[in-house]
Amino acid sequence: MANQVIGEERQTYAAMMPEERKILLTKASNKAFKAKFKPIMLFVKQKNIKGDKSISLQEFFADHPDLSQENQVLKYSFDEKEGILEIHIL
């Protein structure tokens, strides 16, 4: 999934949609996303030689204190055409 969403880029765009309770992620090279959502840029960390990657979403919790930081059920979907990963906070 990380390769589809981020590829080999070291940064990603992320935007919070608080009314829809979802986070959107895409490649930092997605200029249309930047223009439409006014996202923040997050660093992508390579976790191991297998290619696992991680992104810290703590900044969203700091900016949106109404979101619980407790473990939550997350549902995700990927729009291949737009190259956007939607993470739904249930």
Side-chain angles (χ1 to χ4, degrees):
M1 177 64 62
N3 286 332
Q4 286 182 297
V5 178
I6 302 165
E8 294 301 317
E9 296 187 26
R10 301 236 182 238
Q11 295 176 315
T12 183
Y13 281 133
M16 180 68 184
M17 310 297 289
E19 64 283 348
E20 299 175 38
R21 296 186 55 83
K22 68 181 175 182
I23 297 170
L24 305 176
L25 295 170
T26 192
K27 294 180 180 181
S29 58
N30 187 335
K31 303 300 180 203
F33 184 89
K34 181 180 179 185
K36 183 175 181 180
F37 294 105
K38 306 219 184 308
I40 62 172
M41 187 165 282
L42 300 173
F43 288 100
V44 177
K45 295 180 183 176
Q46 178 102 15
K47 293 180 72 170
N48 56 41
I49 60 173
K50 294 188 297 185
D52 295 339
K53 298 177 184 186
S54 69
I55 301 166
S56 175
L57 299 177
Q58 288 299 99
E59 190 168 340
F60 285 116
F61 292 113
D63 291 343
H64 300 279
D66 56 311
L67 292 176
S68 171
Q69 293 188 37
E70 300 299 319
N71 288 336
Q72 298 185 37
V73 175
L74 301 176
K75 178 181 154 190
Y76 68 89
S77 59
F78 180 63
D79 181 339
E80 288 186 49
K81 180 181 172 197
E82 299 290 327
I84 298 173
L85 176 69
E86 292 186 4
I87 303 170
H88 304 268
I89 305 166
L90 305 177

